[in-house]
Amino acid sequence: MPDRAAEEREKDPTPRTPSGRVLGTVGPALFGLGVLAVVVGLGGILIADAVYAWVLVLAAGLAAGLLGTALGLAADSAAPTGAWRSPGGAVTLVLRRVAVVIGAVVAAVGIPLFALKVAGFIGGYHTEAYGAKPVEVAISGSCGTVRNNPLVSVNDKTTCSEASWVTPDGRSVSGTLHGTYGEIAGGMAAGGGAAHVDSVKAYVRGRNAYTPHAAHRRKPGSTHRLSRLTGWAWLGIPVSLAGLGLVNIGWSPKGENGTGAGSSARAESRAH
């Protein structure tokens, strides 16, 4: 009488070990979530103002997609094995699987960190959109400060509606200066009002000038803060490739024919 279980295994090569079934379920699920997050993140970057938040969504999607891919690869190599019963085999198998899990995590982290570092590099040069170099902006009128708290803070938004400057190409422009209390104001004038500096360095665009801090802050979602990520993030791509190399070790030992150890057991079953 034919071995029905063996025939079913031959028809369905999907790993039947508990760990293989978990990997085969979690991997594709993470990959699907990752793809969705990447699409949402890209859409947010293109149409929304808070770029920083959508860059984080994109990076999270990349991480989930890469982790799902790595776990899917591990699931492909999962097969029944008798290593648990052989002397020292359990230790070797555990070490192998720990290495695969570490490799999957490393693969999932490398490329997203690289993407965040690139976003930070671009955000760090955000002020270039207002001109290659700042110009001297003269303040002739009063300035107003919007307080976020009862007490004034150096980061409170300050605007001077009567400002003027000369552009690098020699044009005289009158407009509005946007900055912070710490950059523009500070102290009290003789009449009791808030004092401000006579001039300040600022980046100009049209009839608006932005102090260095305000230029970065003009878009609340500026990614310039990501530029402070460790310089090792630039190595994200080779790090992910190294992680995938660890995953390639395989979840289960390979048989002589290049498949999982379980295939050797099935071959013996057919022989009998």
Side-chain angles (χ1 to χ4, degrees), residues 130 133-138 164-168 200-204 209:
Y130 304 91
K133 294 181 179 180
V135 300
E136 194 74 25
V137 176
S164 59
W165 57 88
V166 177
T167 62
V200 65
K201 290 284 188 180
Y203 296 88
V204 296

Side-chain angles (χ1 to χ4, degrees), residues 151-158 179-184 213 217:
L151 298 177
V152 70
S153 168
V154 293
N155 292 321
D156 286 342
K157 183 178 179 180
T158 299
T180 61
Y181 184 86
E183 293 172 299
I184 297 174
H213 186 83
R217 200 176 66 173

Side-chain angles (χ1 to χ4, degrees), residues 162-244:
E162 298 179 37
S164 59
W165 57 88
V166 177
T167 62
D169 59 1
R171 293 184 298 108
S172 296
V173 179
S174 296
T176 302
L177 172 66
H178 306 270
T180 61
Y181 184 86
E183 293 172 299
I184 297 174
M188 300 295 290
H196 58 71
V197 295
D198 295 327
S199 64
V200 65
K201 290 284 188 180
Y203 296 88
V204 296
R205 191 174 191 179
R207 293 190 175 276
N208 290 284
Y210 301 88
T211 60
H213 186 83
H216 283 305
R217 200 176 66 173
R218 181 168 181 259
K219 288 187 176 181
S222 174
T223 60
H224 73 279
R225 71 194 78 175
L226 293 173
S227 62
R228 294 192 288 268
L229 281 174
T230 175
W232 291 103
W234 288 117
L235 299 177
I237 293 178
V239 165
S240 282
L241 292 177
L244 290 176

Side-chain angles (χ1 to χ4, degrees), residues 242-272:
L244 290 176
L246 279 176
V247 173
N248 195 48
I249 291 175
W251 193 253
S252 302
K254 292 182 178 180
E256 294 180 358
N257 59 354
T259 58
S263 61
S264 297
R266 291 194 294 270
E268 293 177 4
S269 177
R270 289 197 301 271
H272 292 289

